[in-house]
Amino acid sequence: MATDHRAGVDGLLAEYRRSREQLAAVHRELATIAESATDADGLITVTVSARGSIIGLQLAEAAYRVYRPDQLARQIVLVAGMATTKAVRAAGRALEPVLPADSDPDALLRGTADLRPDEYKPPPEEEESMEERSWLQTERRP
C-alpha cells in the first residue's frame, strides 16, 4: 500500500516537473519574440515584443520631409499596431502547447478568454443632463 502511494506521489511530482519545464520553455520563447512592421512608403519600421512594447523604431530621413509631426506620430502608432498584431499572433503560437485544446490563445492574450464581447466592452458613457442645472449664481456673498 505504501509503495502504491509513493509511486503515485512520484508520478505527480514528475508531471509537475514536466509542466514546469514546459512553462519555462514557453516563457523563454515569449521573451525572444520581436515582430516588425513597416509602413507602405518604407519610411517607418516599428519592432515590438510579445507584450506589444516598442523595442525598436527606425525612421528614414525622408520621413521628416514626407510627414508633418502630427502625421508622423499617427503613422508610428499605426505601424506599431500592425507590429503588435503580428507579435500577439506569434505569442499565441508559443502558448498553444500549454493551453487546453479548446482555448483561444489570442483571446487569452487580449484578456478576454472565454468572455463574450458584451461582457468586456465598456458601457456607453452617459451624457450629463443640463436640464436641471442653473447657470446663474443666486447666492450672495457678505
Side-chain angles (χ1 to χ4, degrees):
M1 183 82 168
T3 305
D4 290 341
H5 180 68
R6 180 69 181 162
V9 170
D10 288 345
L12 288 173
L13 286 172
E15 180 61 32
Y16 169 74
R17 287 184 191 106
R18 280 190 298 276
S19 295
R20 191 163 158 54
E21 178 50 41
Q22 188 178 29
L23 183 59
V26 168
H27 275 279
R28 287 190 297 270
E29 186 175 350
L30 289 171
T32 66
I33 291 175
E35 292 289 339
S36 298
T38 302
D39 72 324
D41 298 325
L43 302 175
I44 301 166
T45 299
V46 179
T47 304
V48 301
S49 69
R51 294 178 180 245
S53 299
I54 295 175
I55 57 175
L57 174 62
Q58 295 175 326
L59 301 174
E61 193 66 35
Y64 300 107
R65 291 187 298 275
V66 172
Y67 297 111
R68 291 190 323 266
D70 62 324
Q71 292 173 318
L72 181 58
R74 280 194 302 275
Q75 279 299 107
I76 291 170
V77 170
L78 178 71
V79 175
M82 294 175 354
T84 299
T85 298
K86 291 170 65 176
V88 166
R89 285 190 194 126
R93 287 189 300 274
L95 285 173
E96 281 178 15
V98 295
L99 294 177
D102 60 343
S103 297
D104 178 1
D106 291 339
L108 178 70
L109 289 166
R110 286 191 309 270
T112 58
D114 64 345
L115 298 174
R116 296 182 317 272
D118 63 313
E119 292 179 299
Y120 61 82
K121 285 190 179 177
E125 290 185 28
E126 292 183 26
E127 290 186 28
E128 184 180 352
S129 172
M130 299 296 172
E131 290 179 12
E132 301 294 323
R133 190 164 189 164
S134 170
W135 295 99
L136 301 174
Q137 294 290 349
T138 57
E139 294 179 23
R140 294 184 187 209
R141 293 187 182 172

